Amino acid sequence: KQEVTQIPAALSVPEGENLVLNCSFTDSAIYNLQWFRQDPGKGLTSLLLIQSSQREQTSGRLNASLDKSSGRSTLYIAASQPGDSATYLCAVGQGGGYQKVTFGTGTKLQVIP
Amino acid sequence: SQTIHQWPATLVQPVGSPLSLECTVEGTSNPNLYWYRQAAGRGLQLLFYSVGIGQISSEVPQNLSASRPQDRQFILSSKKLLLSDSGFYLCAWSPGTGVFSPLHFGNGTRLTVT
């Protein structure tokens, strides 16, 4: 059974800092890994999707990397801003025919002005 | 572009009452549709998924059921709510072809059973 862990559970940084969020998974037989952002009381917004054949994906100030063999992914946020404050979740996709996805419990990020 | 609508945003229902949450997707055809529940401090739990009209698969036994009466409509129901049904319910969709496509979520429904 796939297990996805995100450490730390919460993180507080001053504005402008570069930061890294971590995601680890136990079964390396994955199809993709997706990073989401969730604002309080809201749904999940997709940030980046990395296919199993890829090593990284970039979107603006965000860069996500994937190391399947070690069961790890990182989300790098450059020059953090207060608007980046949210909970970040990673999700590992497996299986066929539909998206069999296992979610981590998230890292709650607070960027202090 | 594709959009997903989920309603209501919040709902307070007494124990034993029925439930109906609705989700619709626009701008795509034959999507895969999903209902998730998110409990405080826990990861998202997949409740139901559907790969086509009338095709529903349940991931966990529970007091809830799902239906897909139209291609882009997904409904979560219960005949009699339990206190344990309280939570944040999220509908999601992904393109029906392939497993390399991202999940897209609605804004969720906060259900409180009193």
Side-chain angles (χ1 to χ4, degrees):
Chain A
K1 178 185 174 184
Q2 179 74 268
E3 294 183 2
V4 181
T5 303
Q6 292 185 249
I7 296 174
L11 181 64
S12 183
V13 300
E15 181 178 2
E17 254 194 32
N18 302 324
L19 60 101
V20 174
L21 305 181
N22 298 296
C23 172
S24 61
F25 47 94
T26 55
D27 185 352
S28 62
I30 68 171
Y31 284 169
N32 57 39
L33 186 145
Q34 195 167 355
W35 282 94
F36 293 90
R37 168 189 174 134
Q38 185 175 28
D39 293 293
K42 300 294 185 182
L44 279 66
T45 300
S46 179
L47 297 174
L48 290 164
L49 174 73
I50 310 177
Q51 307 295 355
S52 61
S53 59
Q54 298 174 321
R55 297 283 294 184
E56 64 180 281
Q57 281 286 336
T58 298
S59 175
R61 294 183 293 107
L62 305 179
N63 176 276
S65 67
L66 174 64
D67 185 343
K68 263 182 51 176
S69 60
S70 67
R72 294 183 179 182
S73 176
T74 61
L75 179 66
Y76 174 83
I77 302 176
S80 58
Q81 303 170 358
D84 294 330
S85 298
T87 296
Y88 291 81
L89 296 102
C90 69
V92 173
Q94 296 175 283
Y98 75 102
Q99 284 279 38
K100 185 176 178 65
V101 177
T102 304
F103 285 82
T105 52
T107 294
K108 186 174 182 179
L109 172 66
Q110 182 183 22
V111 181
I112 303 168
Chain B
S1 64
Q2 301 91 1
T3 56
I4 178 169
H5 303 279
Q6 188 180 342
W7 69 93
T10 59
L11 191 60
V12 180
Q13 293 282 96
V15 168
S17 64
L19 172 73
S20 180
L21 303 181
E22 190 163 341
C23 171
T24 59
V25 180
E26 296 178 356
T28 188
S29 296
N30 196 31
N32 292 336
L33 297 171
Y34 312 85
W35 279 110
Y36 283 87
R37 177 167 58 199
Q38 186 177 34
R42 299 173 63 181
L44 274 76
Q45 179 186 36
L46 178 63
L47 302 176
F48 301 94
Y49 68 90
S50 172
V51 299
I53 296 174
Q55 300 178 60
I56 309 294
S57 296
S58 174
E59 285 290 293
V60 293
Q62 58 206 318
N63 185 42
L64 302 168
S65 62
S67 61
R68 184 171 177 173
Q70 300 180 40
D71 181 46
R72 290 168 290 176
Q73 183 185 28
F74 206 23
I75 297 172
L76 183 68
S77 303
S78 174
K79 293 182 178 178
K80 290 185 178 182
L81 284 169
L82 306 173
L83 286 174
S84 58
D85 291 324
S86 293
F88 192 50
Y89 290 83
L90 291 154
C91 181
W93 75 275
S94 66
T97 54
V99 296
F100 300 110
S101 303
L103 279 174
H104 303 276
F105 283 84
N107 283 328
T109 295
R110 174 72 59 188
L111 172 65
T112 303
V113 182
T114 61

